[in-house]
Amino acid sequence: LYASAVIMLVFLLGIPWVFDFVARYYEGMKLESEVQNSIMTRYFYYQLINVYVTVGFSGNNLWSQLITILERPQTFIDVVGGKLPDVSLFFCSLLIVKICAAIPLEMIRPWQLSTIHLMGSCMDRRTTTRRDLRTGAFYSWPMLYGWIYPQLMMVLMVMTAYAVISPLLMP
């Protein structure tokens, strides 16, 4: 049941690395805030397109639905209203996996936590200076806003989309 959501989330975890590389080395952005903003925008739109188009509209007949919408734009609401309830189980499992696993792991930042714990246990507490505690492994790691905020925005977007269909998803 949760396997499809987990597989998609694992795939989506590698995408920010690509966007980071493009922003830094192809576009040549120098400021970290510009890089994070670029990653955040692209990652959110990529998640939006990936989740809603490939899963939400059942990617196999996407072309026929798009032609129907282009021929008669008033059918957009009918197409979306007919497809969203069909994939509600997937979106519920996506929310459960993101809320219970992906977002807490991003907030805990286990790699940084384990590095600090390992370095703290290896240091001699009598000879450690304040400078040692502020540099190296103890340096405050930057928060990667371009990686974390799009996941939160995606959860909020799915929750608001399904709030009408299933009000129990709303807190």
Side-chain angles (χ1 to χ4, degrees):
L1 179 65
Y2 299 110
S4 60
V6 171
I7 289 170
M8 188 178 72
L9 288 177
V10 168
F11 171 72
L12 287 175
L13 284 178
I15 298 297
W17 291 97
V18 174
F19 294 147
D20 186 70
F21 180 81
V22 168
R24 290 183 197 278
Y25 301 111
Y26 182 71
E27 294 177 347
M29 292 183 181
K30 300 291 183 199
L31 296 175
E32 186 65 26
S33 61
E34 287 180 348
V35 171
Q36 292 300 319
N37 189 27
S38 172
I39 293 170
M40 181 177 65
T41 305
R42 289 180 179 149
Y43 189 35
F44 176 70
Y45 286 135
Y46 182 81
Q47 278 186 349
L48 184 69
I49 290 170
N50 185 28
V51 171
Y52 273 111
V53 171
T54 59
V55 176
F57 290 120
S58 304
N60 54 0
N61 59 358
L62 176 66
W63 188 253
S64 64
Q65 292 172 1
L66 184 63
I67 290 173
T68 305
I69 291 171
L70 289 176
E71 288 174 353
R72 293 174 301 178
Q74 66 271 18
T75 62
F76 176 74
I77 300 295
D78 295 332
V79 170
V80 172
K83 285 296 177 183
L84 277 181
D86 293 342
V87 291
S88 62
L89 185 62
F90 172 78
F91 281 115
C92 285
S93 64
L94 178 74
L95 284 179
I96 290 169
V97 169
K98 273 192 176 276
I99 290 172
C100 295
I103 293 174
L105 277 176
E106 287 291 334
M107 295 299 164
I108 291 173
R109 304 190 320 176
W111 174 252
Q112 291 85 353
L113 189 64
S114 63
T115 304
I116 289 172
H117 180 67
L118 180 67
M119 291 301 293
S121 64
C122 294
M123 296 180 81
D124 185 16
R125 299 194 191 282
R126 289 176 288 150
T127 60
T128 303
T129 63
R130 293 183 132 220
R131 174 182 273 176
D132 292 335
L133 294 175
R134 289 191 202 128
T135 59
F138 297 105
Y139 175 72
S140 60
W141 295 62
M143 190 69 154
L144 302 174
Y145 295 106
W147 302 52
I148 296 171
Y149 278 161
Q151 294 180 21
L152 296 173
M153 290 188 300
M154 190 65 190
V155 167
L156 288 174
M157 179 169 271
V158 171
M159 286 177 67
T160 55
Y162 278 96
V164 177
I165 299 169
S166 176
L168 293 176
L169 289 178
M170 295 300 289

